[in-house]
Amino acid sequence: MHRFLVRLLVVLTVLLGVNYVAWRWLESLNWSAWWIAVPLVLAETYSLVDVMLFGLTMWRLKERTPPPAPPGMTVDVFITTYDEPVEMVLGTALAAQRIRYPHRTWILDDGARAPMREAAERHGIGYLTRSADWEDRPRHAKAGNLNNALMLTEGEFMMILDADQVPEPEILDRTLGYFNDRRVALVQTPQWFVNVPEDDPLGSQAPLFYGPLQQGKDGWNAAFFCGSNALLRREALMQLGLVGYVAEVERSVRTALRGSRAAVRRARRSPQAADPTVARLLDEVERATDRAREELEAGRSYSEITYGLRRTVEAAVQELVAADVSALQADLAEIEALGPGGGHGPLTPDEVDRAVARLSTREWSPLGALESVHTVLEAISVERSEEAQPVMPLATISVTEDMATSMRLHALGWRSVYHHEVLAVGLAPEDLKTMLTQRLRWAQGTVQVLLRENPLLKRGLRWPQRLMYFATMWSYLSGFAAVVYITAPIVYLLLGILPVTSLSADFFLRFIPFMVVNQLLFAVAGRGAKTWRGQQYSLALFPTWITACTTAARNVWFGRPLGFAVTPKVKQGSSRDWHLVRPQLVAMSLLAAAAVIGLSRLAVGLNEPLGTLVNVAWVVFDLIVLSVVFRAVRYDGFTGDEEPARPVPD
């Protein structure tokens, strides 16, 4: 009955939403005020797509009963840490030792702290940290820490826990049975926090996500890894690492071949290219490049392909040098810059891209072009020697390793499971600054994955899986829509300009049923879960979402550093950080002032009564939503006097 009601509400929401938004585009746009009318209808269209993706997620909501855990499985429990208090990490590790199913507990200390090592050894807990091989190499934060541990342990399965996530003794008994299905690679359980009061001032609990959303994604085989409280199959991760290794090498080789061809073609524009000897040598290199591309498609060894092309280019360079060195000096500095740090060592994938960009755009002399091509080919590292660990099972393409890893596993045909039972309890941020750091990192990582491996274009995923991943990524674009939703009522109340042609009966007959049914869908799908705080923060954190999108885009497109901020597990100083919510306070001030001015304009006949009433109500709603920041700034952390939140029920 519940599934039928959810599906009925999904159908009604989509029909009413499409009816409303289509009418807005076709009949209600106030083109004389296009500068606010078009952004508003775009924001509404964004929201409709968001609701449709939510409806699709709810369509196949799955509730599971765990099968019994078979005996004899080998399990490593990994507790990841960097700088968390030793006492906290040890408490989690000791709880992990008490897990009933036979296993081995490991502390993965990326901070390489002597007190942490001593505490682990004292209690018979395994201790792992990075070796000297990682010095001066990309570390890849938590993903690198886990990848390092994968190469030093042997368990068939690994339970991953953050330093503050204290597991229940039955966690493996309740999850290992799902791996009876040989295609299951991941079992994810909820994250629930013990230090959160019932009113959840920082929006730390996520009853909608760790519940209907993950259960809905599970129905489409798209429940994804959330970084902690998850059990993974080693075989699946190692396959993922090997496939990723091959793909990365192939991408570098393809990029270099493309750059070689572009550089040679540009070199033909040089006056020297009219010389028969030069033209012949350029022809030979171009033919060798084409032949290398054909061999790549045929599956020939990458090292053989690049070796053969390098020898051809080297011979051509030597002949050109013997014939004419007059243009060489002008190109030497640019050739030197093609190598990493100005040298000729192995190039990372990003350095290959930048080097090829220079190859493809600079006007080279024939000799300079061939020598630069030779430099790039020599620097391609088929062995990925720039990495301390060439095979990286957990994805390293973003500041969060979880979503990209599970998406790649699904693309390889593996299955995932969401088990809706709290089997570990953790610690949520207890101050606004820490919460914002955490949310920003989550959003940045998700947007990085969207820009680097868009699920809509990901080979191997079925279309429902693509849409399930895209739905999560799409949600972080809501910050831009929120700005429009805040601006539109201010514009009317201050200037009397409506983004619609009129607030006619057509508007209300379309808009109100859509909004009512939409809210009913959330309520029924959530089965009474308290989702209001989450809805508040989805709007109130609009500056964080916008920052995440812009910084992630600059990182992916322009190589701007993003960094990795570990979420502190203890309270960070004073909570009275009003500057952290300055954009929200400015927005609230503008909304309140607009309401006062709008009512004043109504009193003197400058605004229409209906338009003023609707927009003042809109302002009041926005203020109620944004008011969550006052409670967040003033929150002094969990004292134990408040009523704690209750765990997600099984």
Side-chain angles (χ1 to χ4, degrees), residues 209-408:
F209 178 76
Y210 288 114
L213 281 174
Q214 278 281 53
Q215 289 176 305
K217 293 177 187 295
D218 193 20
W220 296 106
N221 185 29
F224 59 78
F225 177 33
C226 299
S228 183
N229 305 8
L231 191 60
L232 294 103
R233 187 188 294 269
R234 177 184 294 271
E235 176 190 355
L237 287 175
M238 296 310 297
Q239 181 192 4
L240 184 61
L242 291 171
V243 169
Y245 171 85
V246 172
E248 196 66 57
V249 172
E250 181 177 344
R251 188 182 76 85
S252 294
V253 173
R254 287 184 183 278
T255 301
L257 294 179
R258 188 168 60 250
S260 171
R261 188 179 182 87
V264 170
R265 289 184 172 181
R266 280 189 167 269
R268 291 187 187 280
R269 301 175 187 176
S270 169
Q272 296 168 287
D275 183 277
T277 300
V278 174
R280 174 178 58 80
L281 293 173
L282 291 176
D283 287 341
E284 288 178 3
V285 172
E286 188 165 6
R287 283 195 299 270
T289 302
D290 291 339
R291 186 165 58 252
R293 294 176 63 166
E294 292 172 1
E295 291 172 346
L296 185 63
E297 298 300 333
R300 191 178 173 189
S301 164
Y302 300 142
S303 58
E304 292 180 9
I305 292 170
T306 55
Y307 177 81
L309 182 55
R310 286 201 308 269
R311 297 290 75 79
T312 299
V313 174
E314 189 176 275
V317 167
Q318 290 175 351
E319 189 169 346
L320 272 179
V321 169
D324 183 6
V325 296
S326 61
L328 182 58
Q329 292 298 326
D331 296 325
L332 284 178
E334 189 72 20
I335 293 168
E336 184 70 17
L338 291 170
H344 295 289
L347 291 173
T348 67
D350 287 342
E351 288 171 335
V352 170
D353 290 341
R354 290 194 292 271
V356 168
R358 288 197 292 272
L359 283 179
S360 304
T361 56
R362 191 183 187 281
E363 294 294 342
W364 294 93
S365 70
L367 181 57
L370 295 184
E371 182 60 32
S372 62
V373 168
H374 185 262
T375 299
V376 171
L377 291 173
E378 285 286 352
I380 291 176
S381 176
V382 175
E383 294 78 20
R384 297 189 69 190
S385 57
E386 80 281 357
E387 294 280 3
Q389 182 175 297
V391 175
M392 293 283 183
L394 279 90
T396 59
I397 63 169
S398 80
V399 293
T400 54
E401 74 291 338
D402 41 22
M403 180 183 287
T405 297
S406 54
M407 187 170 71
R408 290 176 175 182

Side-chain angles (χ1 to χ4, degrees), residues 41 59 88 112 122 128 139 225 302-303 380 418 436 463 491 495 582 586 588:
V41 76
W59 195 259
M88 175 189 293
R122 186 166 61 251
L128 295 174
R139 293 183 67 83
F225 177 33
Y302 300 142
S303 58
I380 291 176
Y418 174 68
L436 292 177
W463 267 105
V491 168
L495 304 176
R582 186 177 294 117
V586 170
M588 294 178 74

Side-chain angles (χ1 to χ4, degrees), residues 510-548:
R510 286 173 167 81
F511 176 73
I512 293 177
F514 169 50
M515 290 302 297
V516 169
V517 174
N518 181 23
Q519 289 303 307
L520 278 175
L521 173 59
F522 275 91
V524 172
R527 289 188 168 182
K530 295 182 178 180
T531 61
W532 170 240
R533 189 66 81 212
Q535 293 182 54
Q536 277 188 294
Y537 274 111
S538 69
L539 175 66
L541 291 185
F542 71 91
T544 300
W545 310 144
I546 292 173
T547 299

